[in-house]
């Protein structure tokens, strides 16, 4: 486990999307974040107290979170200098970048001298098994999307909150670097070797024999030509009883691919159900989560209502309006206390 | 490139399936194989002269091919001893096992001393790109299957022979270790990190501007819950104009998974076409290849004819009866000047 509390790094970043890991921690683990570390040239803020490494350490921070992404996922010189400064104060360092902290000798040496730890959350677990598709017990929901980065992690975490508020044992299962930092555990699916995608998810979300739910963070999209293989293996490994479809209505085309349009919601949902049925024949959709950040309140409510009507499923922006409609509907669909009806003859 | 000619290793193996890499080379590159090296406890043969390392070296062998698979893909002590003996005669060593030759210090040291090379064909190329799905020029065919190990590599290679016999520039593109050894190049798709599956295939089979064909070796099956993610990424990266469906009619259930039945051919083909259309909207099926090894001649011919009738596509066992019907039909379908007609048998 990565020791909290955290100092969240923004560095020199001027890209809102690039700081999504730091932002995710600020939103979903606010009690564990003592401050944000940004340099004068960064216009961004997470709304936390601004402090450098020494100030954060004095305020109790145990770990510097390098929660930023840059082109190529590399550790730049500025990043290394700041990580060294944090280590010098006695802080651990965690990174989700492609380039590993442990491959930078200066960091390894400094961490050893100070007796602190370096965490690379993009390292997949060793000895992952090949998936088997064997039916396993337990309630599992998977978030699926029309595209990458449409809010699957947010929807999954917010559904966890809504279910827990209803007394349900709901456990978020992380598959990406930000989710892993929030949950403290998980599998970085984009770094797993191809033959082990579904096996990794079977390991992440083993059989459970209570009435609770594993809520599995989705990745990519069946309609994204770069990553649909990952999404397919994730669907098969998850063996979901329930799918939650996530969508960003402001997206003009598939992320990074101007030559690909987004699928419509019905097509997307049908295709996800079709693929999921291979390992979970009775899978069903339980809702739609929209990311309405670019709409005003009235537009957002209207779009949710229209989408719910069209698909016959509860639809909400879970970040803006909460995940309650989906949580309620899902529990009603899978209510555990009622035995299946039998017909007497 | 891996220097030929080869000495094919069978070692102590008593498992026909386990020697499939050595067998593939014996069948598809017979002119490059000087002999087979098997110990007294192995009942298997490839029909080549039996010789040990020194005899093979004297006969001109340049490389020992460790073309066997064992549980876990590990280098056992016997394998290492024999590889050392081959190195001592001045031969290179190539392996497709999961455990790398370069991770065994005794082999590395001996190879350095003798000035020979160690080849690990399961190493994916460095710096693979993420797939883009951008339309690229050229004719590409992909073999797809109802299951793993149903003859996709054989069908692809035999189709290459049939097309070349017709004067077509046909190039086999290998995606597995045996295919890579046969072709001398390729991408070991099962070892590629999940995010790069489709990008690896875009790299393997770049745009071509002649009338020739890239024939891409398929992997896994959309209906195999362990590996469907790989098959999906392969379909998207290949951007195939044509699919060739491969099937083993003697298979009782999905390979390694008694709890999963094989899909029927029509369902399997439709699903492959559906997935392929994301990056190649006009993709079409051009034939069915059956592995009829367990049927007698009359049964095999009858099954091919019945399958052709049922699916409206040429059907053959390419290893037993040749790939001619598929090659002819495929060329007719994609002949630049003529629109395709209906299949004639």
């Amino acid at each position: 486990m990565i020791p909290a509390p955290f100092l969240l790094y923004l560095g020199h970043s001027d890209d809102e999307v690039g700081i999504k890991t730091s932002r995710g921690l600020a939103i979903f683990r606010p009690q564990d974040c003592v401050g944000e570390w940004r340099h004068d040239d960064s216009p961004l803020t997470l709304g936390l107290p601004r402090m450098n490494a020494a100030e954060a350490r004095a305020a109790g921070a145990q770990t510097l979170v390098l929660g930023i992404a840059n082109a190529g996922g590399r550790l730049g010189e500025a990043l290394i200098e700041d990580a060294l400064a944090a280590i010098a104060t006695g802080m651990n360092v965690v990174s989700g970048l492609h380039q590993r902290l442990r491959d930078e000798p200066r960091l390894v040496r400094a961490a050893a001298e100070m007796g602190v730890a370096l965490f690379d959350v993009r390292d997949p677990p060793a000895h992952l098994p090949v998936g088997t598709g064997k039916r396993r017990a337990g309630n599992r929901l998977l978030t699926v999307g029309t595209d990458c980065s449409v809010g699957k992690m947010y929807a999954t975490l917010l559904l966890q909150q809504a279910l827990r508020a209803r007394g349900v044992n709901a456990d978020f299962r992380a598959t990406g670097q930000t989710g892993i930092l929030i949950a403290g555990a998980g599998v970085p699916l984009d770094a797993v070797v191809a033959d082990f995608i579904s096996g990794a998810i079977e390991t992440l979300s083993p059989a459970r024999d209570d009435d609770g739910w594993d809520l599995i963070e989705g990745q990519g999209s069946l309609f994204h030509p770069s990553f649909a293989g990952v999404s397919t293996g994730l669907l098969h490994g998850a063996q979901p009883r329930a799918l939650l479809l996530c969508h960003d209505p402001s997206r003009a085309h598939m992320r990074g691919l101007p030559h690909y349009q987004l699928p419509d919601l019905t097509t997307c949902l049908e295709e996800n159900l079709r693929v999921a049925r291979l390992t979970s024949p009775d899978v069903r959709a339980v809702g739609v989560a929209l990311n309405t950040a670019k709409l005003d309140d009235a537009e957002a409510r209207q779009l949710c209502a229209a989408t719910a009507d069209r698909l016959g499923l509860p639809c909400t922006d879970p970040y803006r309006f909460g995940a309650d409609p989906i949580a309620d509907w899902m529990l009603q669909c899978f209510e555990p206390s009622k035995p299946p009806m039998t017909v007497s003859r």
Side-chain angles (χ1 to χ4, degrees), chain A:
Chain A
M1 292 293 283
I2 297 161
F6 304 128
L7 171 62
L8 303 180
Y9 189 73
L10 304 183
H12 301 275
S13 187
D14 60 359
D15 170 18
E16 281 285 358
V17 175
I19 63 166
K20 71 176 187 176
T21 296
S22 286
R23 181 179 303 283
L25 278 165
I27 290 173
F28 290 104
R29 291 181 67 176
Q31 72 286 5
D32 290 323
C33 301
V34 300
E36 64 186 37
W37 184 6
R38 61 185 168 87
H39 292 291
D40 288 339
D41 56 353
S42 171
L44 307 177
T45 178
L46 303 171
L48 293 171
R50 183 179 175 185
M51 46 182 78
N52 62 24
E55 292 161 345
R57 185 69 184 128
Q62 300 267 6
T63 302
L64 172 68
V65 179
L66 297 177
I68 65 171
N70 49 19
R74 307 203 56 85
L75 298 167
E77 193 56 32
L79 213 71
I80 293 171
E81 292 294 334
D82 286 343
L84 286 170
I87 291 169
T89 71
M91 266 192 268
N92 310 291
V93 180
V94 59
S95 160
L97 293 167
H98 266 296
Q99 192 185 348
R100 307 298 199 261
L101 297 173
R102 63 172 149 71
D103 290 335
E104 173 51 51
R106 284 178 290 169
L107 295 175
V108 172
R109 204 162 43 232
E113 277 167 16
M114 289 301 297
V116 301
L118 304 176
F119 299 97
D120 287 299
V121 297
R122 258 214 171 98
D123 281 343
H127 308 301
L128 285 170
V130 166
T132 67
K134 280 189 192 145
R135 297 302 297 274
R136 59 192 194 277
N139 295 318
R140 285 175 298 280
L141 173 140
L142 174 68
T143 44
V144 297
T146 50
D147 196 359
C148 303
S149 307
V150 291
K152 291 185 283 284
M153 186 193 77
Y154 275 58
T156 315
L157 283 160
L158 291 159
L159 182 59
Q160 175 185 246
Q161 290 180 359
L163 288 169
R164 287 186 171 177
R166 284 157 176 75
V168 176
N169 282 330
D171 297 300
F172 172 71
R173 303 295 182 199
T175 60
Q177 53 169 325
T178 304
I180 292 169
L181 275 164
I182 292 168
V187 172
L189 203 58
D190 63 355
V192 167
V193 166
D195 259 10
F196 303 99
I197 304 171
S198 65
I201 302 302
E202 292 179 359
T203 302
L204 175 71
S205 178
R208 62 185 297 167
D209 58 8
D210 65 352
D211 289 340
W213 281 82
D214 273 11
L215 308 174
I216 304 171
E217 179 192 6
Q219 292 292 337
S221 166
L222 291 184
F223 292 85
H224 198 296
S226 310
F227 306 117
V230 175
S231 307
T232 298
L234 181 42
L235 268 166
H236 289 161
Q239 254 182 54
R241 295 190 75 186
L243 296 183
L244 171 56
L245 178 62
C246 303
H247 176 58
D248 177 353
S250 72
R251 196 67 61 90
H253 56 73
M254 296 299 280
R255 185 172 166 84
L257 304 178
H259 45 301
Y260 279 89
Q261 298 206 316
L262 265 73
D264 74 80
L265 293 178
T266 303
T267 304
C268 183
L269 197 50
E270 280 174 2
E271 188 64 14
N272 275 281
L273 289 167
R274 185 198 329 277
V275 171
R277 278 188 201 109
L278 180 69
T279 61
S280 185
D282 300 324
V283 60
R284 55 184 292 181
V286 296
V288 182
L290 298 180
N291 175 350
T292 64
K294 301 212 171 125
L295 304 181
D296 71 27
D297 240 53
E299 289 169 332
R301 287 189 190 282
Q302 194 187 357
L303 184 63
C304 288
T307 305
D309 271 353
R310 188 153 53 86
L311 274 78
L313 291 169
C315 176
T316 180
D317 179 335
Y319 188 63
R320 190 170 197 164
F321 305 128
D324 291 346
I326 295 167
D328 286 336
W329 175 240
M330 179 182 153
L331 293 178
Q332 195 179 325
C333 289
F334 296 97
E335 200 166 357
S337 51
K338 289 186 189 164
M341 294 216 301
T342 54
V343 179
S344 54
R345 35 178 124 177

